[in-house]
Amino acid sequence: MPSVHVSSFEAGLTKTAASAAPEATGAKPLRGAVTPIYYKPSQLDTRPHIVTRVDPVYPSGIPPAGGTARIRLFINERGFVDRVAVEESTGSAKFGEAAADAFRAAQFAPGKLKGTAVKSQVLIEVVFHSLLPPGVK
């Protein structure tokens, strides 16, 4: 079973503009479009935290050597995940897909700014440990 680590950094790891929110990439929103603001943890008084158990499943058909995925979760003011963006995946793109699938249904206590629940974003790193016995490559 993979272990899940919540990263403590907010570095812009976005590989393509299409996978990120416009406010994270500097892209201008379409004329007339309302772009929601998802605050970064450093901008909040209270950071969002997960309240449901999330158990990512090791993808089938992938070599058992393991891999990682970094995903950005866009969480609304009710604590539900609005959107998931795969920022980076090592070993196989399927690790990113598996991590995103697992966290889409997660429930969070929302982030707060001045005591009010707001939309926020968090960067999560999921480590899929090797399924091989120690010493086997």
Side-chain angles (χ1 to χ4, degrees), residues 111-137:
K112 292 186 179 181
L113 185 60
K114 297 181 182 174
T116 302
V118 294
K119 295 178 187 295
S120 59
Q121 57 179 292
V122 294
L123 187 62
I124 305 284
E125 181 175 68
V126 180
V127 178
F128 294 85
H129 290 285
S130 174
L131 300 176
L132 297 172
V136 177
K137 292 187 180 191

PDB file of all heavy atoms in Angstrom, residues 111-137:
ATOM      1  N   GLY A 111      -9.838  25.667   4.341  1.00  0.00           N
ATOM      2  CA  GLY A 111      -8.936  26.712   4.791  1.00  0.00           C
ATOM      3  C   GLY A 111      -9.749  27.932   5.186  1.00  0.00           C
ATOM      4  O   GLY A 111     -10.864  28.140   4.692  1.00  0.00           O
ATOM      5  N   LYS A 112      -9.190  28.732   6.085  1.00  0.00           N
ATOM      6  CA  LYS A 112      -9.916  29.929   6.542  1.00  0.00           C
ATOM      7  C   LYS A 112      -9.034  31.156   6.455  1.00  0.00           C
ATOM      8  O   LYS A 112      -7.836  31.104   6.709  1.00  0.00           O
ATOM      9  CB  LYS A 112     -10.398  29.740   7.975  1.00  0.00           C
ATOM     10  CG  LYS A 112     -11.481  28.689   8.084  1.00  0.00           C
ATOM     11  CD  LYS A 112     -12.041  28.615   9.480  1.00  0.00           C
ATOM     12  CE  LYS A 112     -13.145  27.559   9.526  1.00  0.00           C
ATOM     13  NZ  LYS A 112     -13.732  27.466  10.867  1.00  0.00           N
ATOM     14  N   LEU A 113      -9.685  32.253   6.123  1.00  0.00           N
ATOM     15  CA  LEU A 113      -9.043  33.558   6.068  1.00  0.00           C
ATOM     16  C   LEU A 113      -9.912  34.513   6.871  1.00  0.00           C
ATOM     17  O   LEU A 113     -11.098  34.666   6.573  1.00  0.00           O
ATOM     18  CB  LEU A 113      -8.921  34.020   4.613  1.00  0.00           C
ATOM     19  CG  LEU A 113      -8.176  35.318   4.355  1.00  0.00           C
ATOM     20  CD1 LEU A 113      -6.736  35.225   4.854  1.00  0.00           C
ATOM     21  CD2 LEU A 113      -8.174  35.621   2.863  1.00  0.00           C
ATOM     22  N   LYS A 114      -9.339  35.073   7.929  1.00  0.00           N
ATOM     23  CA  LYS A 114     -10.064  35.963   8.841  1.00  0.00           C
ATOM     24  C   LYS A 114     -11.333  35.294   9.374  1.00  0.00           C
ATOM     25  O   LYS A 114     -12.388  35.909   9.469  1.00  0.00           O
ATOM     26  CB  LYS A 114     -10.393  37.282   8.151  1.00  0.00           C
ATOM     27  CG  LYS A 114      -9.152  38.057   7.763  1.00  0.00           C
ATOM     28  CD  LYS A 114      -9.478  39.359   7.104  1.00  0.00           C
ATOM     29  CE  LYS A 114      -8.177  40.052   6.708  1.00  0.00           C
ATOM     30  NZ  LYS A 114      -8.392  41.252   5.939  1.00  0.00           N
ATOM     31  N   GLY A 115     -11.224  33.994   9.672  1.00  0.00           N
ATOM     32  CA  GLY A 115     -12.327  33.249  10.261  1.00  0.00           C
ATOM     33  C   GLY A 115     -13.382  32.743   9.293  1.00  0.00           C
ATOM     34  O   GLY A 115     -14.315  32.064   9.692  1.00  0.00           O
ATOM     35  N   THR A 116     -13.242  33.062   8.016  1.00  0.00           N
ATOM     36  CA  THR A 116     -14.215  32.645   7.011  1.00  0.00           C
ATOM     37  C   THR A 116     -13.626  31.554   6.126  1.00  0.00           C
ATOM     38  O   THR A 116     -12.503  31.691   5.643  1.00  0.00           O
ATOM     39  CB  THR A 116     -14.628  33.855   6.129  1.00  0.00           C
ATOM     40  OG1 THR A 116     -15.163  34.874   6.971  1.00  0.00           O
ATOM     41  CG2 THR A 116     -15.655  33.458   5.100  1.00  0.00           C
ATOM     42  N   ALA A 117     -14.389  30.493   5.897  1.00  0.00           N
ATOM     43  CA  ALA A 117     -13.947  29.421   5.007  1.00  0.00           C
ATOM     44  C   ALA A 117     -13.829  29.966   3.588  1.00  0.00           C
ATOM     45  O   ALA A 117     -14.721  30.678   3.108  1.00  0.00           O
ATOM     46  CB  ALA A 117     -14.932  28.262   5.055  1.00  0.00           C
ATOM     47  N   VAL A 118     -12.699  29.639   2.929  1.00  0.00           N
ATOM     48  CA  VAL A 118     -12.435  30.126   1.575  1.00  0.00           C
ATOM     49  C   VAL A 118     -11.924  28.980   0.705  1.00  0.00           C
ATOM     50  O   VAL A 118     -11.515  27.937   1.209  1.00  0.00           O
ATOM     51  CB  VAL A 118     -11.394  31.269   1.570  1.00  0.00           C
ATOM     52  CG1 VAL A 118     -11.927  32.508   2.274  1.00  0.00           C
ATOM     53  CG2 VAL A 118     -10.074  30.815   2.183  1.00  0.00           C
ATOM     54  N   LYS A 119     -11.937  29.201  -0.601  1.00  0.00           N
ATOM     55  CA  LYS A 119     -11.343  28.243  -1.534  1.00  0.00           C
ATOM     56  C   LYS A 119      -9.832  28.246  -1.315  1.00  0.00           C
ATOM     57  O   LYS A 119      -9.241  29.295  -1.077  1.00  0.00           O
ATOM     58  CB  LYS A 119     -11.649  28.634  -2.976  1.00  0.00           C
ATOM     59  CG  LYS A 119     -13.119  28.570  -3.349  1.00  0.00           C
ATOM     60  CD  LYS A 119     -13.310  29.021  -4.782  1.00  0.00           C
ATOM     61  CE  LYS A 119     -14.763  29.148  -5.169  1.00  0.00           C
ATOM     62  NZ  LYS A 119     -15.499  27.916  -5.165  1.00  0.00           N
ATOM     63  N   SER A 120      -9.224  27.064  -1.398  1.00  0.00           N
ATOM     64  CA  SER A 120      -7.786  26.979  -1.190  1.00  0.00           C
ATOM     65  C   SER A 120      -7.199  25.884  -2.063  1.00  0.00           C
ATOM     66  O   SER A 120      -7.932  25.103  -2.677  1.00  0.00           O
ATOM     67  CB  SER A 120      -7.475  26.708   0.284  1.00  0.00           C
ATOM     68  OG  SER A 120      -8.071  25.499   0.697  1.00  0.00           O
ATOM     69  N   GLN A 121      -5.885  25.849  -2.108  1.00  0.00           N
ATOM     70  CA  GLN A 121      -5.187  24.811  -2.869  1.00  0.00           C
ATOM     71  C   GLN A 121      -4.068  24.247  -2.015  1.00  0.00           C
ATOM     72  O   GLN A 121      -3.475  24.952  -1.207  1.00  0.00           O
ATOM     73  CB  GLN A 121      -4.642  25.365  -4.183  1.00  0.00           C
ATOM     74  CG  GLN A 121      -3.720  26.549  -4.031  1.00  0.00           C
ATOM     75  CD  GLN A 121      -3.201  27.046  -5.351  1.00  0.00           C
ATOM     76  OE1 GLN A 121      -2.425  26.347  -6.003  1.00  0.00           O
ATOM     77  NE2 GLN A 121      -3.626  28.240  -5.745  1.00  0.00           N
ATOM     78  N   VAL A 122      -3.825  22.962  -2.190  1.00  0.00           N
ATOM     79  CA  VAL A 122      -2.722  22.311  -1.495  1.00  0.00           C
ATOM     80  C   VAL A 122      -1.990  21.411  -2.475  1.00  0.00           C
ATOM     81  O   VAL A 122      -2.575  20.889  -3.421  1.00  0.00           O
ATOM     82  CB  VAL A 122      -3.182  21.481  -0.265  1.00  0.00           C
ATOM     83  CG1 VAL A 122      -3.737  22.372   0.816  1.00  0.00           C
ATOM     84  CG2 VAL A 122      -4.174  20.416  -0.653  1.00  0.00           C
ATOM     85  N   LEU A 123      -0.711  21.248  -2.242  1.00  0.00           N
ATOM     86  CA  LEU A 123       0.125  20.368  -3.038  1.00  0.00           C
ATOM     87  C   LEU A 123       0.398  19.126  -2.211  1.00  0.00           C
ATOM     88  O   LEU A 123       0.861  19.215  -1.078  1.00  0.00           O
ATOM     89  CB  LEU A 123       1.435  21.086  -3.400  1.00  0.00           C
ATOM     90  CG  LEU A 123       2.351  20.371  -4.360  1.00  0.00           C
ATOM     91  CD1 LEU A 123       1.687  20.159  -5.714  1.00  0.00           C
ATOM     92  CD2 LEU A 123       3.628  21.180  -4.533  1.00  0.00           C
ATOM     93  N   ILE A 124       0.058  17.980  -2.765  1.00  0.00           N
ATOM     94  CA  ILE A 124       0.196  16.696  -2.075  1.00  0.00           C
ATOM     95  C   ILE A 124       1.210  15.843  -2.823  1.00  0.00           C
ATOM     96  O   ILE A 124       1.183  15.786  -4.047  1.00  0.00           O
ATOM     97  CB  ILE A 124      -1.154  15.926  -2.063  1.00  0.00           C
ATOM     98  CG1 ILE A 124      -2.281  16.749  -1.477  1.00  0.00           C
ATOM     99  CG2 ILE A 124      -1.019  14.571  -1.393  1.00  0.00           C
ATOM    100  CD1 ILE A 124      -2.277  16.876  -0.003  1.00  0.00           C
ATOM    101  N   GLU A 125       2.083  15.182  -2.087  1.00  0.00           N
ATOM    102  CA  GLU A 125       2.990  14.209  -2.699  1.00  0.00           C
ATOM    103  C   GLU A 125       2.590  12.826  -2.223  1.00  0.00           C
ATOM    104  O   GLU A 125       2.446  12.594  -1.023  1.00  0.00           O
ATOM    105  CB  GLU A 125       4.432  14.490  -2.330  1.00  0.00           C
ATOM    106  CG  GLU A 125       5.383  13.496  -2.991  1.00  0.00           C
ATOM    107  CD  GLU A 125       6.828  13.840  -2.732  1.00  0.00           C
ATOM    108  OE1 GLU A 125       7.258  13.725  -1.564  1.00  0.00           O
ATOM    109  OE2 GLU A 125       7.522  14.205  -3.692  1.00  0.00           O
ATOM    110  N   VAL A 126       2.377  11.926  -3.171  1.00  0.00           N
ATOM    111  CA  VAL A 126       2.009  10.544  -2.869  1.00  0.00           C
ATOM    112  C   VAL A 126       3.170   9.661  -3.297  1.00  0.00           C
ATOM    113  O   VAL A 126       3.615   9.731  -4.442  1.00  0.00           O
ATOM    114  CB  VAL A 126       0.722  10.128  -3.608  1.00  0.00           C
ATOM    115  CG1 VAL A 126       0.348   8.687  -3.283  1.00  0.00           C
ATOM    116  CG2 VAL A 126      -0.426  11.065  -3.267  1.00  0.00           C
ATOM    117  N   VAL A 127       3.656   8.858  -2.372  1.00  0.00           N
ATOM    118  CA  VAL A 127       4.761   7.946  -2.663  1.00  0.00           C
ATOM    119  C   VAL A 127       4.199   6.534  -2.749  1.00  0.00           C
ATOM    120  O   VAL A 127       3.610   6.036  -1.795  1.00  0.00           O
ATOM    121  CB  VAL A 127       5.849   8.015  -1.569  1.00  0.00           C
ATOM    122  CG1 VAL A 127       6.968   7.027  -1.864  1.00  0.00           C
ATOM    123  CG2 VAL A 127       6.393   9.431  -1.453  1.00  0.00           C
ATOM    124  N   PHE A 128       4.370   5.907  -3.901  1.00  0.00           N
ATOM    125  CA  PHE A 128       3.972   4.516  -4.097  1.00  0.00           C
ATOM    126  C   PHE A 128       5.228   3.677  -3.899  1.00  0.00           C
ATOM    127  O   PHE A 128       6.102   3.654  -4.760  1.00  0.00           O
ATOM    128  CB  PHE A 128       3.397   4.311  -5.504  1.00  0.00           C
ATOM    129  CG  PHE A 128       2.101   5.030  -5.743  1.00  0.00           C
ATOM    130  CD1 PHE A 128       2.081   6.359  -6.153  1.00  0.00           C
ATOM    131  CD2 PHE A 128       0.900   4.374  -5.555  1.00  0.00           C
ATOM    132  CE1 PHE A 128       0.880   7.012  -6.379  1.00  0.00           C
ATOM    133  CE2 PHE A 128      -0.311   5.021  -5.778  1.00  0.00           C
ATOM    134  CZ  PHE A 128      -0.318   6.340  -6.186  1.00  0.00           C
ATOM    135  N   HIS A 129       5.324   3.042  -2.753  1.00  0.00           N
ATOM    136  CA  HIS A 129       6.522   2.272  -2.437  1.00  0.00           C
ATOM    137  C   HIS A 129       6.614   1.019  -3.305  1.00  0.00           C
ATOM    138  O   HIS A 129       5.604   0.468  -3.751  1.00  0.00           O
ATOM    139  CB  HIS A 129       6.532   1.881  -0.954  1.00  0.00           C
ATOM    140  CG  HIS A 129       6.753   3.056  -0.064  1.00  0.00           C
ATOM    141  ND1 HIS A 129       7.979   3.655   0.092  1.00  0.00           N
ATOM    142  CD2 HIS A 129       5.897   3.775   0.699  1.00  0.00           C
ATOM    143  CE1 HIS A 129       7.872   4.677   0.907  1.00  0.00           C
ATOM    144  NE2 HIS A 129       6.620   4.775   1.295  1.00  0.00           N
ATOM    145  N   SER A 130       7.836   0.573  -3.504  1.00  0.00           N
ATOM    146  CA  SER A 130       8.107  -0.625  -4.296  1.00  0.00           C
ATOM    147  C   SER A 130       7.355  -1.822  -3.735  1.00  0.00           C
ATOM    148  O   SER A 130       7.233  -1.986  -2.522  1.00  0.00           O
ATOM    149  CB  SER A 130       9.607  -0.906  -4.294  1.00  0.00           C
ATOM    150  OG  SER A 130       9.860  -2.142  -4.932  1.00  0.00           O
ATOM    151  N   LEU A 131       6.856  -2.639  -4.641  1.00  0.00           N
ATOM    152  CA  LEU A 131       6.193  -3.881  -4.239  1.00  0.00           C
ATOM    153  C   LEU A 131       7.178  -5.035  -4.189  1.00  0.00           C
ATOM    154  O   LEU A 131       6.807  -6.159  -3.836  1.00  0.00           O
ATOM    155  CB  LEU A 131       5.066  -4.211  -5.231  1.00  0.00           C
ATOM    156  CG  LEU A 131       3.951  -3.155  -5.347  1.00  0.00           C
ATOM    157  CD1 LEU A 131       2.961  -3.567  -6.426  1.00  0.00           C
ATOM    158  CD2 LEU A 131       3.258  -2.941  -4.027  1.00  0.00           C
ATOM    159  N   LEU A 132       8.434  -4.760  -4.551  1.00  0.00           N
ATOM    160  CA  LEU A 132       9.461  -5.791  -4.558  1.00  0.00           C
ATOM    161  C   LEU A 132       9.999  -6.018  -3.154  1.00  0.00           C
ATOM    162  O   LEU A 132      10.103  -5.084  -2.351  1.00  0.00           O
ATOM    163  CB  LEU A 132      10.619  -5.379  -5.474  1.00  0.00           C
ATOM    164  CG  LEU A 132      10.282  -5.218  -6.954  1.00  0.00           C
ATOM    165  CD1 LEU A 132      11.470  -4.620  -7.698  1.00  0.00           C
ATOM    166  CD2 LEU A 132       9.895  -6.568  -7.548  1.00  0.00           C
ATOM    167  N   PRO A 133      10.395  -7.261  -2.860  1.00  0.00           N
ATOM    168  CA  PRO A 133      11.034  -7.522  -1.551  1.00  0.00           C
ATOM    169  C   PRO A 133      12.362  -6.757  -1.473  1.00  0.00           C
ATOM    170  O   PRO A 133      12.989  -6.483  -2.497  1.00  0.00           O
ATOM    171  CB  PRO A 133      11.284  -9.026  -1.564  1.00  0.00           C
ATOM    172  CG  PRO A 133      10.468  -9.578  -2.684  1.00  0.00           C
ATOM    173  CD  PRO A 133      10.232  -8.467  -3.651  1.00  0.00           C
ATOM    174  N   PRO A 134      12.797  -6.393  -0.269  1.00  0.00           N
ATOM    175  CA  PRO A 134      14.072  -5.689  -0.111  1.00  0.00           C
ATOM    176  C   PRO A 134      15.218  -6.445  -0.772  1.00  0.00           C
ATOM    177  O   PRO A 134      15.299  -7.669  -0.681  1.00  0.00           O
ATOM    178  CB  PRO A 134      14.260  -5.620   1.409  1.00  0.00           C
ATOM    179  CG  PRO A 134      12.886  -5.754   1.977  1.00  0.00           C
ATOM    180  CD  PRO A 134      12.140  -6.644   1.010  1.00  0.00           C
ATOM    181  N   GLY A 135      16.074  -5.719  -1.460  1.00  0.00           N
ATOM    182  CA  GLY A 135      17.240  -6.308  -2.124  1.00  0.00           C
ATOM    183  C   GLY A 135      16.979  -6.799  -3.539  1.00  0.00           C
ATOM    184  O   GLY A 135      17.906  -7.115  -4.267  1.00  0.00           O
ATOM    185  N   VAL A 136      15.716  -6.843  -3.977  1.00  0.00           N
ATOM    186  CA  VAL A 136      15.382  -7.284  -5.343  1.00  0.00           C
ATOM    187  C   VAL A 136      15.189  -6.054  -6.201  1.00  0.00           C
ATOM    188  O   VAL A 136      14.506  -5.121  -5.818  1.00  0.00           O
ATOM    189  CB  VAL A 136      14.094  -8.141  -5.354  1.00  0.00           C
ATOM    190  CG1 VAL A 136      13.721  -8.527  -6.771  1.00  0.00           C
ATOM    191  CG2 VAL A 136      14.279  -9.371  -4.487  1.00  0.00           C
ATOM    192  N   LYS A 137      15.804  -6.077  -7.384  1.00  0.00           N
ATOM    193  CA  LYS A 137      15.654  -4.938  -8.311  1.00  0.00           C
ATOM    194  C   LYS A 137      15.015  -5.358  -9.588  1.00  0.00           C
ATOM    195  O   LYS A 137      15.080  -6.363 -10.090  1.00  0.00           O
ATOM    196  CB  LYS A 137      17.002  -4.303  -8.586  1.00  0.00           C
ATOM    197  CG  LYS A 137      17.549  -3.626  -7.352  1.00  0.00           C
ATOM    198  CD  LYS A 137      18.798  -2.875  -7.691  1.00  0.00           C
ATOM    199  CE  LYS A 137      19.323  -2.199  -6.436  1.00  0.00           C
ATOM    200  NZ  LYS A 137      20.350  -1.270  -6.653  1.00  0.00           N
TER     201      LYS A 137
END
